[in-house]
Amino acid sequence: MSTVTTAEPTIFERRESEARSYCRSFDTVFTKASGSTLTDKEGRDYIDFLSGCSSLNYGHNDPDMKAALIEHISNDGIAHGLDMYTETKQAFLETFERLVLKPRGMEHKVMMTGPTGTNAVEAALKLARKVTGRKNVISFTNGFHGMSLGALAATGNAGKRAGAGGVSLNDMTRMPYEGSLGDDVDTLAVIEAMLDNPSSGIDAPAAFLVELIQGEGGLNAASTEWVQGIARIAKKHGALLIVDDIQAGIGRSGTFFSFDEMGIEPDLIPLAKSLSGFGLPFAALLVRPDLDIWKPAEHNGTFRGNTHAFVTARVALEKFWADDAFKTEIAEKAKVLNAALQRIADKIPGAKLKGRGMMQGVDVGSGDLAEQICAECFDNGLVIETSGAHDEVVKVLAPLTTPMEQFQKGLTILENAAQKCAPMQIAAE
Amino acid sequence: MSTVTTAEPTIFERRESEARSYCRSFDTVFTKASGSTLTDKEGRDYIDFLSGCSSLNYGHNDPDMKAALIEHISNDGIAHGLDMYTETKQAFLETFERLVLKPRGMEHKVMMTGPTGTNAVEAALKLARKVTGRKNVISFTNGFHGMSLGALAATGNAGKRAGAGGVSLNDMTRMPYEGSLGDDVDTLAVIEAMLDNPSSGIDAPAAFLVELIQGEGGLNAASTEWVQGIARIAKKHGALLIVDDIQAGIGRSGTFFSFDEMGIEPDLIPLAKSLSGFGLPFAALLVRPDLDIWKPAEHNGTFRGNTHAFVTARVALEKFWADDAFKTEIAEKAKVLNAALQRIADKIPGAKLKGRGMMQGVDVGSGDLAEQICAECFDNGLVIETSGAHDEVVKVLAPLTTPMEQFQKGLTILENAAQKCAPMQIAAE
Amino acid sequence: MSTVTTAEPTIFERRESEARSYCRSFDTVFTKASGSTLTDKEGRDYIDFLSGCSSLNYGHNDPDMKAALIEHISNDGIAHGLDMYTETKQAFLETFERLVLKPRGMEHKVMMTGPTGTNAVEAALKLARKVTGRKNVISFTNGFHGMSLGALAATGNAGKRAGAGGVSLNDMTRMPYEGSLGDDVDTLAVIEAMLDNPSSGIDAPAAFLVELIQGEGGLNAASTEWVQGIARIAKKHGALLIVDDIQAGIGRSGTFFSFDEMGIEPDLIPLAKSLSGFGLPFAALLVRPDLDIWKPAEHNGTFRGNTHAFVTARVALEKFWADDAFKTEIAEKAKVLNAALQRIADKIPGAKLKGRGMMQGVDVGSGDLAEQICAECFDNGLVIETSGAHDEVVKVLAPLTTPMEQFQKGLTILENAAQKCAPMQIAAE
Amino acid sequence: MSTVTTAEPTIFERRESEARSYCRSFDTVFTKASGSTLTDKEGRDYIDFLSGCSSLNYGHNDPDMKAALIEHISNDGIAHGLDMYTETKQAFLETFERLVLKPRGMEHKVMMTGPTGTNAVEAALKLARKVTGRKNVISFTNGFHGMSLGALAATGNAGKRAGAGGVSLNDMTRMPYEGSLGDDVDTLAVIEAMLDNPSSGIDAPAAFLVELIQGEGGLNAASTEWVQGIARIAKKHGALLIVDDIQAGIGRSGTFFSFDEMGIEPDLIPLAKSLSGFGLPFAALLVRPDLDIWKPAEHNGTFRGNTHAFVTARVALEKFWADDAFKTEIAEKAKVLNAALQRIADKIPGAKLKGRGMMQGVDVGSGDLAEQICAECFDNGLVIETSGAHDEVVKVLAPLTTPMEQFQKGLTILENAAQKCAPMQIAAE
């Protein structure tokens, strides 16, 4: 059935490292993609409910971005310019200022980091420590912030941490995320009690590093009250607030930033994934201007400010964020999603809805069941993945631009898969 | 004179972080680039002797890569596929196997890491520690390996290390690079004596991490004898040999890998910069197959295996590395470069040639003088930078494909600049 | 008034480091001591409710220990024998086995460490990590375990931690002690939730390190239920249980070990302070025999097994622990103490009793008030100190052997001081 | 033959941890000791050439110290006074000021640390980091500074470091001790080159921590020129100089401090071992007064300032250091020792003399041979041990007060043992 596994080892088996992962769940060779559709070598189409883990919020090969990128390349536009000034970067920054920062009254500056989320997080951690003269950072249970050593220290997953090979992942204190201690424990009170106690052994923090919806951690969505509480505690203890909006940002939560309607202004905001709009590697750190105390090149890197990504990111902003239409569209789709997931949850004893906006899923109670559902979906032409500490959440990360009909079709495949797998699970108990 | 600094702050001054650096030396706004020529907003052309810090070894917008990339995008080829299997990746891997690995008898596997050099180094450090069960890594004076926390620990530069904000850069032992203790000290003997002594306090190393030509560290080029010595000592102590070929690799040294004619086979080889051929973000770690003990996703990341880069990287390999012609061309150009640099060195008391292949420069004895020379070059239409612990080396990193006439023209600008600045310097003494 | 502070700097001011501390509260020069009485240069007597911070549980210069020690020295008994076998060590070990270990069914072995509590804790941490192959240790808010770097990492107090000068105090996770999050939060549930979550970011622990009564941390006494819960969680997660009985042990809590009646058996038990019985430097680590995987000299030190202390420690065991009489006596005194402290608490709004056994105190709500009370006591001939994160607890650590009349006298001084200071405090509010 | 190993496990085997070490080499049960003679249970006498690893520089039970100590105890002199002022401490400090500090023009203050060498080193490291605001410390190959985590980081021996159980021994850079890279490498030049290079990756040091004669490391004795070089480099780089005089100090090197005739003044000087004079646990850190920025209790501990040790330490200073007679006596004995060791070295091909003063030994080329010699000595009534990275040095640490006749007798036993073992070794080759 698979086009990959044959008697003779494929080139991937021969020459690609065992670290590869998604290809194991989706064992076919893809050739092209458009909108929310992936096509494989056999000509089979798949609906994409993974979106490059939220890197393709506008779908594949958006025609406007595509046209602009082709034009740029055709005209010998710069592909790589280190961090030199280019017209392309200028246009991106002006558009980002006009459509994103100014409307929100944000004075933040944009730091182009290496084009990966982990690099933007590393930059944020460095800067927070440099600014405060403190080393300790508060991060949260189930958080995921990247795989390079600094960001990995803030990542909760035991398996991923094991990759460090025993090197100390230092200067990081873990606190409970909202809800992680059960419904009856006020995690804000726990955090505050620990930090207020001068003999708690927790060093004064340089920063709190938090995702408002935990993408890898099981789609835990923090309430506005909790987020405001964290902001307040951070301020009280002289710590910066870093909101990692790499996965939940750029529209995924329903608004451009995940914190847009929460009445807080983070000090540092790492962005990546859908920032380029086209799936191109691109990351940035938004920095409150008075904290921008970097010396030139103090955090540098070769691929800061991917110029091709400047082109597509600018088009994406102009196309989707010049007015509120897109936000309204996401909200409608999120409702549809919520209703579908509720129908699924109703079929599975103990299942719970997770997340918010277009970053929702259903906790089906076990990683095995979630995996079965996703495998069944793939067999029926839907690419979808799990999330959570035990991989127990079926996670829907459809492109925000998915046409409603296709979105419904994908949800139907998912519902059928849940229907099919759920009884098996029950029978097995 | 500058087009950027005006009374009113530019968008870059307003909104780009102070961490920006190259744009400060080359204070103009670039618009397009082709081959070895950069063009700015005013229509002024510059010869590029920086090549995106060796990320543009084949120059800007190579026509064949450009055509292939446009075709890929036009056809809705996948832009972002996480680490799923794609035809594009397949074609790249097959070409890399056929033209790079097989001819060298290398069994290495390719690990697609996040598309930055630092990420490939982080992966190498993790894997070396995981494989050996040891934590300590030997790195070298003047080494540069990246800015995320794991790689930064291996980076020598005090200013860059300060960016960590006081977090411990652990589990790293620094050894002297060849020549760094003066001509009369045998650094191999020093290293061996330290490691052979069970009471030296240096924990058994997981790996040696070394650049064969130190790009940021001042174009120190290790001799074959020294490199073989390091390989031997690593083996004797059960440590892996990691050759960081991010800057010196992909033809820069004169051969595809910087170690090609040295009779060694590194265990792990981080690659980035010119790997895509087109300046696109792309990085990989070559892994000796028996060391490829990663669990799926144990080191993951969103932008592993930039698909656009697979397209251009494949074309680059086919165009430049299918036979020995390119290598011969580089060798000829390296001779011309060497002769020109010797003429410059002859003008400056105490100046020394550094590097090898198309990664050469001249140590002019002071960072001030080197900076003056580079500034004078820029005024005359040549983009060129310094390197070294004291920024004392004028470093030539021209595209390997620069036409000879243009190459000569660039070298003449450089010679004239050196001529003009050198006496000023002497007068100033 | 003070005999020390004069116009000319005293020898202490001239030549003793500013690190000195208790001498600042008790600013006189002591000359001799017997039982529970300290005498100064002026011939003034003080009742000792500090007991060398629980190092003098049997009082000063117990006549039987004193006689035995003088006899040992007179006979040229060994003063220093490294860790060689001596008759004196043999006699101590046999007595310790007979009177302490055997009656409790404990198979533990005795590791002689350097003669300080911190050294015994360092040994425990090393051994727990060595045995489990894990690095992370769980310690608790308000815990105090010593000042050398390994033990300091487990110590909660911010001021003491600052002494490390910025060196990372790694591989330590802080959990809330019973009651530290307020009365309505079940700290066991919090701890269990954090550890059960594989994405909590808390590495699998080598050990739990806990005091059953926190001496420096404010006389917080854990309940049997909580201690059993910690033992259960430790076991469930494959972690060793280290009960630091340095301050609470050797009778202070009411029984020889602080855990004697709690139905648990710790894996590792650091002992020091009153272990010698006479105030001589002496420490040991009790080790469950199957965990005793040390290689010879793997944790060594010059003063392991202070031979003079073997003499007095043996006499102390024979004199006080051969039957239950001493335990009964402590229990009676503890009741008297509790009643007196209750009378004090009744005078101070919001005051709370803390601790158990002969390790009790009263939380008077502020460090200033506690300090005033202790100063007033000293003026009236009572040596007593504060404890707690804010120094808010007046702590009674009288010798367990204090004659009842003298004990009552001391308590009266304390009650009067509280009476005198309390209204001042209220007036000041 | 042994009195300990019997069919039934002894109390030591049953109840003393496997960490015990010296007792394994000297497998008998000692009962008393006087001067340089140890006596065991069977009444057998041994000459002591180990001196409690230099803790008994004045021999066992010196009659004057013994009398003073018995008198102190008999009079209910304080045994334990925390760090309160006592007449006994006052007398010690006055004597130390008068006989040690003033004659040398040293303004240093005395910090009473926990009574072990490692604790004094921990205090020195903390203070150096606190004073300089830097974390990195330079320590040396073959150095030994203790076993608690901070001091262990500075200890070179791989086996001892392994005891940390994988915890990072951070913020320590190892440099080569004089001679450790062979005779032809100038280690000062190596150290200076590494530190002068801002891209060496070695962070600016808080301190250099060095022994002038490496006791555990093989009796390597640094030359005056080298020590002055280290002092100069430390000063140049703004680092404190910490001379660990725990083993080499208090007369062992021939003068009170090992640096007395070297023209340097260390900033911080940890002392322990023979400081009490009687083998009692006692340690102190001498601190240049302007560096004494400790806050009260910032580095505290229960057994700081062992009061019994104040008594004996004072008597030792008065008896041995009031004039130059003792120094002259040591010098004469050192000559005798040197000559005897030379005779031994002449018998063993490749053997080398090590050390200086009364801290000399002979490197016999292998740990096996050195161990055989020591075992043979023990059989003939001499207690003596090995040292060095490979235990290859037979180390003589006789009491400085050993009567010449007894000293000669011990040396004869040693010579005979070397004679007997050496040919065996040669035959075995």
Side-chain angles (χ1 to χ4, degrees), chain B residues 1 39 113 129 132 253 259 263 285 287 313 399 405 429:
Chain B
M1 197 162 34
T39 306
T113 67
R129 284 163 172 152
T132 60
S253 73
F259 53 82
L285 177 68
V287 179
E405 194 184 353
E429 273 167 10

Side-chain angles (χ1 to χ4, degrees), chain A residues 12-45:
Chain A
F12 303 113
E13 289 162 345
R14 277 205 314 277
R15 291 294 190 175
E16 192 172 7
S17 163
E18 294 302 319
R20 67 193 191 277
S21 55
Y22 291 101
C23 53
R24 298 172 192 266
S25 303
F26 312 115
D27 187 7
T28 188
V29 177
F30 294 100
T31 53
K32 42 199 282 184
S34 178
S36 299
T37 306
L38 281 156
T39 306
D40 76 4
K41 224 170 171 175
E42 322 283 293
R44 196 174 173 209
D45 285 345

Side-chain angles (χ1 to χ4, degrees), chain D residues 353-427:
Chain D
L353 295 205
K354 306 295 299 279
R356 65 180 171 91
M358 279 293 276
M359 194 166 175
Q360 295 189 64
V362 57
D363 174 346
V364 298
S366 95
D368 281 352
L369 176 55
E371 203 176 302
Q372 283 172 41
I373 292 170
C374 292
E376 177 68 20
C377 286
F378 186 63
D379 284 347
N380 288 284
L382 179 70
V383 167
I384 186 168
E385 260 288 316
T386 65
S387 155
H390 303 275
D391 298 318
E392 74 282 12
V393 177
V394 176
K395 174 174 66 169
V396 179
L397 290 178
L400 308 178
T401 53
T402 312
M404 187 58 85
E405 191 183 356
Q406 190 179 19
F407 190 49
Q408 293 278 19
K409 194 172 157 199
L411 291 172
T412 301
I413 296 172
L414 176 57
E415 284 188 59
N416 291 343
Q419 176 82 38
K420 181 167 170 194
C421 299
M424 286 162 56
Q425 181 72 2
I426 288 162

